[in-house]
Amino acid sequence: MPSGLPPGPAEGAAQKEAPMTAPSDLVAPRLTGPDLLRSVFRRHAAGVAVITARGDAGPAGFTATSLTSVSAEPPLLSFGIGTGSSSWPAVARAEHVGVHLLGEHQQHLAATFARSGADRFGPGTAWRDGPEGVPVLEDVPAWLVCRVVARVPAGDHRIVLGEVLTGDAGGPGRPLLYHQGRFGGLRD
């Protein structure tokens, strides 16, 4: 090593290192159970759908962010619904359901179908009777009518599996997302 220069890291000189901070020192107190699940999934951006069914008292529906493509052959999808939901009795008995992917322009519709006690199919909601008698929402980017093939118990929810029968993917708009407890759209 040339004389007069202080030793560098490559020469193995003794250096003071900053104390290591454990990851647990950097985060808030640890959450567990339902609080942890809610906290994590608030950070997960999800597409927004409205599920509809024909009930004994008329049309029923709710906002869902749990929509998942399950299989291409046969074409299957799934969604979750709480057994305490006002829409559960209709979905529990329905042979067919409607699945509607909402657009950015439909935040009001997502909020209406998410609100307990709202008149979901009243003024402000454009809809019609669709195939198999399923309520079909108008002006959505895409909709499907599915035959219910299973309702799987999952805690205080049911996972509903539906086989896609018909639909339309040619509607207007960009997708509506749900993230951090709010509805919003994609940013370019």
Side-chain angles (χ1 to χ4, degrees):
M1 172 168 97
S3 65
L5 294 178
E11 288 80 35
Q15 296 184 7
K16 284 191 168 184
E17 292 186 22
M20 294 292 290
T21 303
S24 61
D25 294 339
L26 299 176
V27 295
R30 297 220 187 253
L31 299 172
T32 60
D35 292 333
L36 175 60
L37 183 67
R38 285 184 197 102
S39 179
V40 167
F41 273 88
R42 283 181 63 85
R43 299 178 189 293
H44 175 70
V48 181
V50 167
I51 309 298
T52 60
R54 176 65 61 188
D56 292 340
F62 67 98
T63 300
T65 58
S66 59
L67 184 65
T68 304
S69 172
V70 174
S71 168
E73 284 298 326
L76 297 174
L77 57 75
S78 72
F79 59 87
I81 179 171
T83 56
S85 163
S86 62
S87 298
W88 171 240
V91 174
R93 290 189 292 279
E95 292 183 29
H96 299 89
V97 295
V99 176
H100 309 83
L101 302 183
L102 299 188
E104 288 178 330
H105 63 288
Q106 296 175 307
Q107 291 184 28
H108 68 285
L109 199 58
T112 297
F113 277 83
R115 193 170 34 254
S116 179
D119 183 4
R120 296 172 179 156
F121 290 90
T125 301
W127 66 281
R128 63 183 166 78
D129 286 323
E132 305 296 338
V134 170
V136 173
L137 301 177
E138 300 287 343
D139 198 33
V140 294
W143 61 270
L144 300 166
V145 170
C146 302
R147 182 176 63 84
V148 175
V149 296
R151 295 173 187 88
V152 181
D156 62 353
H157 279 62
R158 296 296 180 269
I159 305 302
V160 178
L161 291 170
E163 181 178 9
V164 175
L165 301 178
T166 190
D168 182 4
R174 292 167 38 118
L176 180 62
L177 300 177
Y178 186 72
H179 181 252
Q180 293 286 18
R182 296 186 318 204
F183 297 115
L186 296 171
R187 293 187 186 149
D188 289 330

